């Protein structure tokens, strides 16, 4: 038994996190994003929260522990925060008045007038978790309107929008004059629609009137609208689990599917599209300039606006977790190498549940290995027990990449999160929606 414990301890030394504050290679190597699908009018159920949860649990492959010993932990406390199980209330008060932070300890009474009580809970997302297992193309039947496709085009019958010559959805926008890709992008009336759009309530404008749509790993779905309706797009985002921003734009689409159709160069239609994202949307992420379809029909984009509510959204507290706290005004990370148990990057939308599941799985692994009970002899501090985690969206060169989680054996207040990654080699990294929770 004893030897098994020491084997476990040796294994965890090997698994200790690297000195680098974040695993930038993992972020950099995230799979390329797949944005809104073509040929369909909408897409939903893109993010499978249940499957993501499972993958978060699977991220734990070995026992892990913070390097700090109990003795070292006590000296760390003098310099940083306080014991996780005993935190003087007066310290909360003093710290929150000086820096707005929300100091707390596991067993201390919750202060009534510090940071986490002023978090705008009204904007917390309350939609149930997405449970769909495959992306749903919600509108594949062809429009019933006739006369879209010239009668001379063959084949003349079709079942869905992917079939050759099939009319494409939906085309509620004005067609540019001249009806060419260049004419579309130059059309000042389309630019005017985007420029004059009113910001929706609860969202901040992040860019206006670009000629490209957003593409990122945080894609959650899209709809085709009947008008450039920013407010309804915002209202829809509010109902989608994890949605914190959207991109509304006009797209020049083919009136029918010219691929394998005897009429390979369709007229154009203009679609108002709204895509939903589990992160902020930035001009840097607006990289989809369209594409060429079939024999040369050019899909292009104009009047692309971005709106985000990341700064005013509190993530839903995962089961078994408490005290959502914004870290370093939301844009900084906890970097405490001596008490850090582990870290992991999950490409996709910002989903704090991933961090909670990852933390729980790490604790379960440590308990099962026996290392947990070894440390229980140390009063009040267990370097193999995660009781605090920091989850955030990490962006590379301005583009949202995924949820990054860091696990700690000690709890910290929000103001102790001071690390901002910045330049790493030739790439720039930034943090958004940085939150900590106690377990
Ligand atoms: C969110 O807050 C950060 C930090 O204050 C700021 O730089 C950023 O522009 C804000 N984003 C939005 C969308 O308001």
């Amino acid at each position: 038994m004893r030897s098994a414990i020491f084997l476990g301890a040796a294994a965890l030394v090997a698994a200790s996190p690297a000195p680098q504050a974040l695993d930038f290679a993992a972020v950099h190597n995230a799979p390329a994003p797949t944005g809104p699908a073509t040929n369909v009018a909408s897409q939903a159920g893109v993010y499978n929260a249940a499957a993501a949860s499972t993958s978060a649990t699977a991220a734990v492959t070995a026992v892990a522990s913070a390097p700090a010993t109990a003795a070292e932990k006590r000296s760390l406390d003098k310099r940083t925060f306080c014991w996780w199980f005993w935190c003087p209330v007066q310290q909360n008060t003093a710290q929150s008045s000086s820096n707005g932070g929300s100091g707390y300890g596991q067993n201390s009474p919750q202060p009534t007038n510090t940071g986490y009580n002023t978090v705008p809970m009204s904007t917390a997302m309350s939609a149930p978790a997405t449970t769909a297992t495959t992306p749903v193309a919600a509108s594949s039947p062809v429009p019933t309107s006739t006369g879209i496709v010239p009668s001379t085009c063959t084949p003349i019958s079709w079942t869905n929008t992917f079939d050759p010559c099939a009319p494409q959805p939906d085309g509620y926008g004005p067609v540019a004059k001249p009806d060419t890709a260049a004419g579309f992008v130059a059309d000042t009336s389309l630019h005017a629609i985007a420029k004059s759009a009113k910001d929706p309530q609860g969202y901040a404008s992040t860019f206006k009137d670009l000629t490209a749509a957003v593409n990122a790993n945080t894609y959650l779905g899209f709809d085709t609208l009947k008008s450039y309706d920013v407010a309804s797009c915002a209202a829809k985002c509010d109902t989608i689990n994890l949605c914190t921003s959207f991109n509304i734009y006009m797209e020049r689409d083919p009136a029918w599917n010219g691929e394998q159709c005897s009429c390979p160069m369709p007229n154009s239609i203009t679609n108002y599209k709204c895509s939903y994202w589990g992160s902020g949307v930035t001009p840097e992420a607006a990289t989809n300039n369209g594409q060429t379809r079939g024999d040369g029909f050019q899909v292009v984009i104009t009047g692309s606006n971005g709106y985000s509510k990341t700064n005013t959204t509190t993530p839903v507290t995962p089961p078994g977790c408490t005290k959502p706290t914004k870290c370093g005004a939301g844009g900084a990370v906890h970097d405490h190498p001596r008490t850090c148990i582990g870290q992991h990057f999950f490409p996709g939308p910002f989903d704090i549940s991933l961090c909670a599941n990852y933390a729980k799985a790490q604790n379960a692994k440590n308990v099962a290995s026996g290392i947990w009970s070894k440390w229980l002899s140390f009063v009040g501090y267990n370097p193999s027990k995660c009781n605090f985690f920091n989850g955030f969206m990490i962006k590379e060169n301005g583009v949202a990449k995924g949820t990054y989680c860091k696990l700690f054996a000690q709890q910290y207040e929000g103001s102790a999160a001071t690390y901002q990654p910045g330049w790493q080699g030739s790439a720039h990294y930034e943090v958004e929606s940085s939150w900590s929770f106690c377990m």
Side-chain angles (χ1 to χ4, degrees):
M1 193 61 210
R2 186 173 290 265
S3 62
I5 288 168
F6 281 104
L7 276 176
L12 72 87
V13 169
S16 290
Q20 202 176 25
L22 300 176
D23 183 356
F24 295 104
V27 177
H28 182 74
N29 294 327
T34 54
T38 58
N39 297 78
V40 293
S42 66
Q43 210 176 11
V46 170
Y47 181 65
N48 185 339
S53 245
T54 305
S55 85
T57 302
V60 174
T61 53
V63 293
S65 182
T69 62
E72 183 191 351
K73 168 66 175 47
R74 275 191 289 275
S75 74
L76 281 172
D77 287 342
K78 291 197 188 83
R79 284 182 283 125
T80 56
F81 191 48
C82 52
W83 285 74
W84 65 270
F85 71 103
W86 183 81
C87 191
V89 174
Q90 62 269 28
Q91 185 170 347
N92 290 327
T93 318
Q95 294 195 345
S96 51
S97 61
S98 62
N99 58 23
S102 54
Y104 46 76
Q106 185 81 357
N107 292 339
S108 67
Q110 180 170 314
T112 53
N113 58 353
T114 48
Y116 49 83
N117 286 331
T118 61
V119 156
M121 295 302 289
S122 60
T123 57
M125 295 178 293
S126 55
T130 307
T131 51
T133 50
T134 48
V136 179
S139 183
S140 283
V142 296
T144 50
S145 53
T146 52
I148 296 170
V149 187
S151 56
T152 52
C153 302
T154 56
I156 54 163
S157 74
W158 44 76
T159 310
N160 66 53
T161 51
F162 294 93
D163 292 337
C165 302
Q168 299 297 291
D170 269 317
Y172 287 103
V175 169
K177 288 187 186 75
D179 182 7
T180 61
F184 183 83
V185 173
D187 192 315
T188 53
S189 68
L190 301 183
H191 290 294
I193 291 173
K195 281 187 192 146
S196 65
K198 229 180 116 207
D199 291 354
Q201 205 161 19
Y203 290 77
S205 165
T206 56
F207 57 83
K208 276 224 154 91
D209 194 28
L210 300 182
T211 50
V214 168
N215 196 16
N217 280 322
T218 59
Y219 178 57
L220 295 175
F222 85 97
D223 283 310
T224 306
L225 309 176
K226 295 201 162 147
S227 65
Y228 197 93
D229 189 347
V230 175
S232 85
C233 200
K236 179 70 182 282
C237 176
D238 289 342
T239 69
I240 298 172
N241 184 37
L242 305 178
C243 183
T244 52
S245 71
F246 64 91
N247 176 211
I248 185 168
Y249 53 96
M250 287 159 279
E251 184 174 278
R252 179 181 192 261
D253 286 325
W256 62 88
N257 184 8
E259 288 172 50
Q260 295 172 348
C261 174
S262 70
C263 307
M265 280 300 279
N267 307 325
S268 86
I269 53 175
T270 299
N271 276 313
Y272 300 109
K273 290 192 171 178
C274 179
S275 57
Y276 312 105
W277 304 88
S279 66
V281 285
T282 53
E284 294 90 338
T287 55
N288 172 14
N289 302 297
Q291 69 275 162
T292 302
R293 263 185 234 164
D295 271 10
F297 181 90
Q298 272 182 283
V299 172
V300 283
I301 283 146
T302 196
S304 173
N305 286 9
Y307 301 94
S308 173
K309 60 173 181 176
T310 50
N311 282 355
T312 52
T313 301
T314 301
V316 173
T317 300
C321 302
T322 56
K323 294 170 182 165
T325 302
K326 226 177 208 185
C327 303
V333 172
H334 282 286
D335 181 26
H336 316 289
R338 299 302 295 169
T339 56
C340 183
I341 295 175
Q343 52 183 321
H344 200 87
F345 170 68
F346 301 95
F350 179 56
D351 183 355
I352 200 74
S353 306
L354 300 177
C355 298
N357 288 331
Y358 169 49
K360 283 172 199 163
Q362 186 66 68
N363 279 347
K365 186 96 182 171
N366 291 353
V367 167
S369 78
I371 191 165
W372 184 292
S373 50
K374 178 193 175 216
W375 290 112
L376 280 185
S377 57
F378 293 95
V379 174
Y381 172 71
N382 181 343
S384 69
K385 183 189 180 195
C386 173
N387 56 37
F388 181 82
F389 63 85
N390 180 195
F392 49 92
M393 169 57 57
I394 185 134
K395 298 193 284 184
E396 184 185 62
N397 297 328
V399 182
K401 301 282 275 190
T403 305
Y404 203 108
C405 310
K406 298 192 77 162
L407 315 184
F408 296 94
Q410 177 187 351
Q411 299 181 349
Y412 296 90
E413 60 180 307
S415 61
T418 54
Y419 176 75
Q420 292 176 312
W423 287 100
Q424 304 288 331
S426 57
H428 189 262
Y429 294 88
E430 242 177 302
V431 165
E432 163 188 287
S433 306
S434 182
W435 288 84
S436 71
F437 288 84
C438 296
M439 295 177 70

